[in-house]
Amino acid sequence: MSELFDAVDALLASRATLPPPAERKRLRAAHGLTIDEVAGALKVRRATVSGWEAGKTEPRPPERDAYARLLDKLAELYPVTPAPAAETAPALDAPVPATFTAVPAPAQGQPLPTEPASDGGEVSAPLEPQVPASDLARPPASATKSTSTSRRPGAKKAAPAGTPVGEGDPRFENGPLAVVDADADGQVVAYCVGGLVLDVPAKSLASLVEWTLAEAKLGQPKLSGPGRAADPLLVLTQAALERYGLPTELSAQERDAGRIPEAHKV
């Protein structure tokens, strides 16, 4: 008798109802299961489960019964949430009440009518505008205020926090690069993006590098998740090169190598 029951169970399992492929994937992901975990439990290959979720293939007994049982249990834990009913949009062709009562400012050289004629030819009461024409023609007070935030060239101070040059990253608020120059008195400054000028306290090339990496707040944030932030870029003028003991001209071999000679004192 048990053999007959097993045969009947096998027939039922071969016709077990399965949800659509997209729902199979949703139920697995909702429980935090991976394809490898499902494949290991059902003793099938990973590609087989992927084919079931993509709708390319359908499971067969005896895996079909076990897969249907798994999906039924997951459906009880994670039922489909019905979508909220859409709100009724207001009619676009509804009549618009006439609520505008202000009188526009008169054109240049045209007087404002104060005694319009009625339908019977009689002169009605003077028209009193609810908003004075002078107020309508007057520009808003905020438009007369100056919004200029430009800095004078040569201002030897760093930009305030929140300057948009560094893309909102406080580590690089002074921009990605600077041009370093020195005057006749030996004072060194760095010209940054947006007209910003920084004092450079470094007296040697080593201290210049240290200042650039630790205090100058120069650089560029990374462009993507796996990327890295860009190093700051310094461009030294001829006067700055002389100030820090660097050669102002390179030979053809040095230019090709992209570096100064190994025996240079710096």
Side-chain angles (χ1 to χ4, degrees):
M1 198 67 174
S2 61
E3 295 180 357
L4 295 178
F5 288 164
D6 293 340
V8 171
D9 291 341
L11 290 177
L12 295 176
S14 64
R15 300 295 187 271
T17 303
L18 297 176
E23 179 65 8
R24 304 170 193 175
K25 183 177 181 181
R26 184 193 73 82
L27 292 172
R28 174 184 60 77
H31 200 60
L33 298 175
T34 63
I35 295 180
D36 293 328
E37 290 175 332
V38 176
L42 300 179
K43 301 186 184 307
V44 296
R45 296 183 303 169
R46 185 182 190 278
T48 302
V49 179
S50 298
W52 295 347
E53 292 186 354
K56 297 180 180 179
T57 58
E58 288 294 320
R60 299 179 178 179
E63 292 84 6
R64 184 184 182 92
D65 186 26
Y67 189 46
R69 179 180 177 84
L70 171 64
L71 295 178
D72 288 342
K73 296 297 182 180
L74 293 178
E76 295 177 0
L77 296 175
Y78 309 100
V80 178
T81 303
E87 296 182 359
T88 304
L92 298 181
D93 55 352
V96 180
T99 57
F100 181 78
T101 57
V103 178
Q108 184 70 23
Q110 296 182 0
L112 182 65
T114 57
E115 296 183 355
S118 62
D119 294 338
E122 298 178 355
V123 178
S124 61
L127 181 62
E128 297 180 358
Q130 297 188 9
V131 180
S134 58
D135 291 347
L136 292 175
R138 184 182 304 119
S142 58
T144 61
K145 296 182 179 180
S146 174
T147 57
S148 174
T149 57
S150 61
R151 294 183 296 272
R152 292 184 304 160
K156 307 293 194 298
K157 62 178 181 179
T163 303
V165 174
E167 300 294 337
D169 194 324
R171 297 175 301 166
F172 312 119
E173 65 180 16
N174 292 333
L177 58 88
V179 177
V180 180
D181 191 17
D183 57 18
D185 298 331
Q187 184 178 7
V188 183
V189 293
Y191 297 92
C192 306
V193 177
L196 175 66
V197 182
L198 301 177
D199 281 323
V200 181
K203 303 300 182 183
S204 64
L205 185 61
S207 60
L208 175 63
V209 174
E210 182 178 359
W211 173 82
T212 303
L213 298 177
E215 302 178 22
K217 296 185 178 181
L218 295 172
Q220 184 73 19
K222 60 184 179 181
L223 299 178
S224 61
R228 60 181 297 270
D231 294 327
L233 175 64
L234 289 187
V235 180
L236 276 65
T237 65
Q238 181 174 354
L241 292 172
E242 296 175 352
R243 172 66 179 79
Y244 290 111
L246 292 170
T248 57
E249 295 182 1
L250 296 177
S251 63
Q253 183 179 1
E254 293 168 353
R255 286 196 298 270
D256 294 340
R259 64 181 64 183
I260 59 178
E262 295 289 344
H264 193 277
K265 63 179 181 178
V266 173

